[in-house]
Amino acid sequence: DATAADDPRIGSGRADSQTLRLVLVYAGFAALWILLSDQAVTWLYDQPDHILLASMIKGWLFVAFTSILLYVLVRRLLREALQLARDRQDALERQKRTETALRESELRYRNLIEHSPEAIVVHRIGKVIYVNPSAVAMVGAVAPSDLLGRSILDFALTENRDAISERIQLAANPRELRPAFESAITNLQGERIELAVKAVSVLFDGEAAVLVTMQDITQRKRSEELLQAALHDKDALLREVHHRVKNNL
């Protein structure tokens, strides 16, 4: 079965059991044959030459019967061994197909991440273990090696460090719901970058990690600030116009 095929120890134990059963069957048959046939010869014949002839015939019959018995048992044992070998081969092929499919899936996923326009960082307990090209460009690095092994907190603003540390601790719990949020970091040149951030628990190189996607919203935030400033100036202008009109009246 599949269990025996997947675990060689089970298959080895089964082969040992079959071999022991074969030996016990042969030993039992041989003991009964010797005991009963000797008694039969003694009971049937009393002449020495007849006993000698009967003993020879008994011996040849023993060889014939035990040969047939061994043939049947060994054939059965070999059939089961061949079936076990086929089961193991099938299990290995299934495992290889599964591993190949997993590698292909990981490769496709890695390619998607590599070519994503969004900056993507994978960290484990706050330590950067992977960055895609968009993340490298966002923080002004030259190569991924400039960022790998560094702490997420190295890029956090002073006022955001406590909040980011708390989020890193929460990320250790894969069941914890982590909604999207906005934050800000500084790049390697010291410039402030406003971000929309999402995080999700993943397995990376077989271990738990957190995948973070970041979208640069600096321009949007500046536009919003300019719009708010314009609205504020408009309100101030309207209040000033209203005040002057009221005074003139």
Side-chain angles (χ1 to χ4, degrees):
D1 53 22
T3 303
D6 294 338
D7 192 341
R9 291 174 299 178
I10 296 178
S12 177
R14 175 177 293 180
D16 291 342
S17 176
Q18 295 288 351
T19 302
L20 179 60
R21 187 170 64 181
L22 171 63
V23 172
L24 291 177
V25 169
Y26 178 81
F29 177 82
L32 288 174
W33 178 274
I34 294 173
L35 177 63
L36 297 178
S37 63
D38 285 345
Q39 290 181 354
V41 169
T42 304
W43 180 69
L44 291 174
Y45 304 102
D46 54 3
Q47 297 293 328
D49 54 342
H50 292 168
I51 293 175
L52 178 61
L53 179 60
S55 297
M56 292 178 58
I57 295 174
K58 176 175 70 74
W60 285 111
L61 288 176
F62 176 78
V63 171
F65 282 124
T66 54
S67 297
I68 295 172
L69 178 62
L70 285 174
Y71 170 77
V72 172
L73 294 177
V74 171
R75 186 171 182 270
R76 180 179 177 182
L77 184 60
L78 288 176
R79 188 187 303 116
E80 292 182 355
L82 289 174
Q83 183 61 47
L84 180 59
R86 285 193 292 266
D87 291 343
R88 286 184 179 177
Q89 184 64 32
D90 291 342
L92 288 174
E93 291 178 357
R94 287 194 301 270
Q95 182 179 356
K96 288 180 180 179
R97 288 195 296 267
T98 301
E99 292 175 350
T100 299
L102 181 60
R103 284 195 298 268
E104 291 176 351
S105 177
E106 290 177 347
L107 181 59
R108 287 194 297 269
Y109 188 64
R110 182 67 68 95
N111 286 335
L112 287 174
I113 293 177
E114 286 285 330
H115 296 90
S116 173
E118 291 188 338
I120 296 178
V121 174
V122 179
H123 72 83
R124 185 173 291 126
I125 319 179
K127 293 295 183 181
V128 177
I129 57 176
Y130 171 81
V131 288
N132 73 342
S134 296
V136 173
M138 173 183 287
V139 299
V142 177
S145 57
D146 296 334
L147 307 177
L148 297 179
R150 298 187 60 171
S151 171
I152 295 291
L153 296 177
D154 291 346
F155 305 93
L157 299 178
T158 302
E159 62 268 25
N160 292 342
R161 282 180 174 267
D162 291 341
I164 292 178
S165 295
E166 182 179 353
R167 289 184 180 274
I168 290 174
Q169 295 300 321
L170 291 175
N173 183 1
R175 297 182 179 179
E176 186 73 27
L177 180 63
R178 292 182 290 277
F181 62 96
E182 292 185 359
S183 185
I185 64 170
T186 56
N187 63 16
L188 295 181
Q189 288 73 40
E191 300 170 339
R192 180 185 178 109
I193 303 175
E194 300 288 341
L195 300 173
V197 183
K198 295 179 182 178
V200 62
S201 298
V202 296
L203 282 178
F204 191 85
D205 291 336
E207 297 183 33
V210 178
L211 184 146
V212 182
T213 60
M214 298 174 291
Q215 183 180 3
D216 189 345
I217 58 173
T218 304
Q219 190 60 43
R220 191 191 80 187
K221 298 288 284 188
R222 288 175 180 171
S223 298
E224 290 175 353
E225 291 173 358
L226 291 175
L227 179 60
Q228 290 295 327
L231 290 174
H232 181 270
D233 292 343
K234 178 182 177 182
D235 289 340
L237 179 61
L238 288 175
R239 285 194 299 269
E240 178 67 22
V241 170
H242 177 73
H243 178 70
R244 290 186 179 186
V245 170
K246 183 179 180 180
N247 286 341
N248 291 335
L249 293 177

